[in-house]
């Protein structure tokens, strides 16, 4: 087949599926903003498209999101027409529609099947919206109207797509019927051979840390340090945690930008805002045991999880992070916030410990309890890893399921 991948940050969620399809001798092409020049990546021909320069125009605030997506959709449409005119006719389009890029592609290739990566459908009453009163919208009565407009992009894609795929039930169930009935549940997959326990692991980052399994290491990971992923909750618990665990090293991974939710006030970062909030509650000696590692290479990230004695994961009721599943695959003992997506993989007392998202005292209590109980850590870590191997393993579970889904998409009538 000829397969076209659409993703703003390709490969994104297709990082395993696209190379596999290319290895199976399908002609795979990706269209993305991520590159500036054509290139090849693991058998996939990666082509750039560019956004046009636009004169300033006034758009209703509720339509800014759609306006941005239509702009990307138009740019992708024009790039697709050039591909078509050069003779490229895909049999299958696999697209993450979240940025609007795939909005007009079946106008270019009406005979192509389309499968969507269904990350989330936004509801005005969805649990992550106004979940955290501290960061509630300034005009809650307006939120349902804005969110309804935000979903126009999803609805425009429903009639174009033949089927969808979602990584978790929480995400799939956010989509309305009847499109929900066309969504296959399959995670992107965790390489449990690569992400595995290692009793001899050592994490060495010059000038920041040199730790092994013998050290009392507590880890916290976000792509970006922000409230949606509970960074503020963790930071506010940090003074108590440091006082109670005088030998612990706290390793915090994450960037200074924003992946989800509102941006920090102008000129500030959420990272620094919450450092400033708690710093005067922490002695200099204790603060020296806290390491902000920023974003680190994947091999260092895995070693971080392998040396972790307790791993803390917090999130709004939202998209579940790969990092949680990778931590479980590495056999880490998890203390996590008790929200709906987390409960899909963390069973309290079996695969980890659950605490109320907002309860910093409970978080500290459970972390300290696990640090004192090696047998409990081992039991939780083993059960967590077994769960990932049985339900989320990349090669034995997820990729075969995704390949079946690709076949199902192709079998759908035009």
């Amino acid at each position: 087949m000829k397969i076209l991948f659409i993703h703003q940050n390709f490969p994104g969620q297709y990082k395993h599926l696209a190379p596999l399809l290319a290895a199976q001798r399908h002609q795979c092409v990706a269209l993305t903003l991520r590159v500036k020049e054509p290139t090849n990546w693991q058998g996939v021909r990666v082509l750039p498209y560019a956004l046009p320069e636009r004169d300033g125009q006034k758009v209703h605030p509720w339509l800014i999101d759609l306006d941005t997506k239509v702009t990307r959709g138009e740019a992708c449409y024009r790039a697709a027409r050039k591909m078509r005119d050069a003779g490229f006719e895909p049999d299958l389009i696999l697209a993450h529609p979240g940025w609007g890029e795939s909005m007009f592609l079946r106008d270019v290739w009406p005979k192509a099947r389309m499968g969507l990566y269904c990350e989330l459908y936004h509801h005005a009453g969805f649990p992550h919206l106004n979940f955290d009163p501290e960061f509630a919208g300034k005009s809650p009565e307006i939120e349902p109207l804005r969110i309804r407009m935000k979903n126009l992009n999803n609805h425009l894609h429903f009639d174009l797509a033949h089927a969808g795929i979602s990584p978790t039930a929480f995400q799939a169930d956010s989509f309305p019927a009847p499109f929900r009935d066309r969504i296959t549940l399959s995670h992107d997959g965790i390489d449990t051979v690569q992400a595995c326990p290692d009793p001899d692991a050592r994490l060495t980052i010059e000038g920041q840390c040199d730790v092994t399994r013998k050290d009392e290491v507590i880890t916290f990971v976000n792509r970006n340090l922000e409230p949606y992923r509970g960074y503020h909750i963790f930071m506010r618990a940090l003074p108590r945690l440091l006082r109670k665990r005088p030998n612990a090293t706290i390793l915090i991974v994450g960037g200074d930008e924003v992946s989800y939710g509102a941006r920090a006030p102008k000129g500030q970062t959420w990272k620094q805002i919450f450092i400033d909030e708690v710093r005067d509650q922490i002695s200099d000696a204790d603060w020296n045991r806290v390491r902000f590692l920023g974003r680190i290479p994947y091999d260092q990230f895995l070693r971080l999880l392998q040396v972790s004695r307790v791993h803390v994961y917090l999130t709004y009721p939202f998209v579940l992070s790969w990092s949680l599943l990778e931590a479980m695959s590495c056999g880490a003992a998890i203390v996590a916030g008790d929200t709906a997506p987390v409960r899909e993989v963390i069973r309290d007392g079996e695969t980890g410990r659950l605490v109320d998202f907002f309860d910093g005292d409970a978080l500290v209590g459970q972390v300290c309890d696990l640090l004192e109980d090696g047998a409990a850590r081992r039991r939780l870590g083993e059960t967590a890893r077994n769960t990932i191997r049985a339900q989320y393993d990349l090669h034995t579970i997820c990729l075969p399921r995704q390949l079946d889904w690709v076949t199902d998409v192709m079998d759908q009538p035009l």
Side-chain angles (χ1 to χ4, degrees):
M1 292 188 295
K2 293 181 179 180
I3 304 173
L4 176 64
F5 290 89
I6 304 293
H7 196 299
Q8 173 183 260
N9 298 310
F10 182 84
Q13 288 89 352
Y14 301 120
K15 71 175 184 177
H16 301 302
L17 179 61
L20 178 60
L21 290 170
Q24 293 181 342
R25 306 182 69 83
H26 298 294
Q27 181 182 345
C28 294
V29 179
L31 195 57
T32 179
L33 283 174
R34 189 168 186 175
V35 301
K36 300 300 182 184
E37 299 292 337
T39 187
N40 290 297
W41 176 79
Q42 297 192 32
V44 181
R45 182 65 171 160
V46 183
L47 303 177
Y49 78 93
L51 297 177
E53 293 185 9
R54 291 179 50 184
D55 296 330
Q57 66 183 79
K58 291 186 176 180
V59 178
H60 193 285
W62 302 348
L63 282 175
I64 290 174
D65 182 78
L66 182 63
D67 181 73
T68 300
K69 289 176 170 57
V70 171
T71 298
R72 291 175 187 248
E74 180 193 6
C76 207
Y77 164 80
R78 294 188 183 281
R81 285 184 57 179
K82 290 181 180 179
M83 295 169 68
R84 180 197 62 190
D85 294 345
F88 183 71
E89 292 283 341
D91 303 293
L92 174 64
I93 299 170
L94 297 180
H96 189 314
W99 297 277
E101 296 163 303
S102 44
M103 195 180 297
F104 306 116
L105 292 186
R106 292 203 61 221
D107 294 278
V108 181
W109 295 297
K111 294 183 179 180
R113 270 75 173 182
M114 179 179 281
L116 299 182
Y117 188 91
C118 298
E119 190 158 26
L120 199 69
Y121 183 92
H122 298 276
H123 295 274
F126 214 56
H128 68 283
L129 298 170
N130 295 326
F131 168 75
D132 189 341
E134 184 175 352
F135 300 99
K138 295 180 180 179
S139 303
E141 71 280 2
I142 297 299
E143 282 296 284
L145 314 183
R146 185 184 65 81
I147 294 300
R148 191 186 313 160
M149 301 303 291
K150 186 178 179 70
N151 274 320
L152 285 176
N153 176 58
N154 275 319
H155 284 276
L156 289 169
H157 277 89
F158 290 161
D159 289 337
L160 302 174
H162 295 85
I165 193 167
S166 281
T168 68
F170 176 85
Q171 291 165 261
D173 291 345
S174 69
F175 284 82
F179 193 75
R180 171 63 182 92
D181 298 333
R182 289 190 272 157
I183 296 176
T184 293
L185 187 61
S186 176
H187 195 268
D188 314 308
I190 302 300
D191 188 337
T192 63
V193 175
Q194 187 179 21
C196 64
D198 181 359
D200 300 319
R202 186 183 203 103
L203 176 65
T204 301
I205 301 178
E206 187 175 353
Q208 294 183 291
C209 65
D210 183 8
V211 291
T212 70
R213 293 285 297 173
K214 295 179 181 179
D215 298 296
E216 186 172 287
V217 177
I218 301 167
T219 54
F220 181 81
V221 173
N222 290 173
R223 182 191 305 172
N224 285 299
L225 301 173
E226 57 184 321
Y228 252 66
R229 294 306 196 196
Y231 169 67
H232 58 313
I233 303 297
F234 182 75
M235 288 300 292
R236 288 166 178 168
L238 191 57
R240 283 164 286 170
L241 188 56
L242 288 165
R243 287 194 296 270
K244 286 180 173 291
R245 306 305 302 184
N247 296 314
T249 297
I250 315 296
L251 300 182
I252 300 173
V253 170
D256 295 347
E257 300 171 6
V258 173
S259 298
Y260 313 105
R263 295 190 175 277
K266 189 174 182 180
Q268 302 182 66
T269 66
W270 292 122
K271 172 186 171 182
Q272 194 60 46
I273 285 172
F274 293 107
I275 289 176
D276 293 343
E277 181 178 319
V278 303
R279 182 62 183 86
D280 63 357
Q281 304 171 42
I282 301 172
S283 70
D284 290 344
D286 282 349
W287 187 247
N288 287 335
R289 296 188 283 120
V290 181
R291 303 283 189 270
F292 286 88
L293 304 181
R295 293 179 177 174
I296 58 178
Y298 190 68
D299 61 333
Q300 291 184 351
F301 167 70
L302 289 182
R303 286 197 292 275
L304 173 121
L305 298 177
Q306 289 165 340
V307 301
S308 178
R309 197 165 288 187
V310 175
H311 180 72
V312 176
Y313 179 74
L314 300 167
T315 183
Y316 285 12
F318 193 60
V319 174
L320 196 68
S321 303
W322 285 350
S323 65
L324 173 61
L325 304 188
E326 288 163 322
M328 295 173 68
S329 185
C330 287
I334 311 289
V335 176
D338 186 6
T339 55
V342 174
R343 288 194 294 271
E344 281 194 49
V345 293
I346 299 293
R347 298 183 301 278
D348 189 32
E350 296 181 37
T351 55
R353 300 274 182 87
L354 293 176
V355 297
D356 184 277
F357 176 89
F358 299 103
D359 193 340
D361 288 334
L363 176 66
V364 171
Q366 290 293 346
V367 170
C368 292
D369 184 67
L370 280 179
L371 290 173
E372 291 292 329
D373 192 341
R377 292 198 308 272
R378 287 189 292 274
R379 177 176 53 80
L380 292 174
E382 289 173 2
T383 306
R385 175 164 171 77
N386 290 339
T387 296
I388 299 303
R389 293 181 67 189
Q391 299 178 27
Y392 298 92
D393 182 78
L394 174 66
H395 296 291
T396 63
I397 305 296
C398 296
L399 277 178
R401 191 176 292 162
Q402 291 169 39
L403 289 175
D404 288 343
W405 174 73
V406 167
T407 301
D408 289 343
V409 176
M410 285 305 300
D411 286 343
Q412 299 298 316
L414 284 174

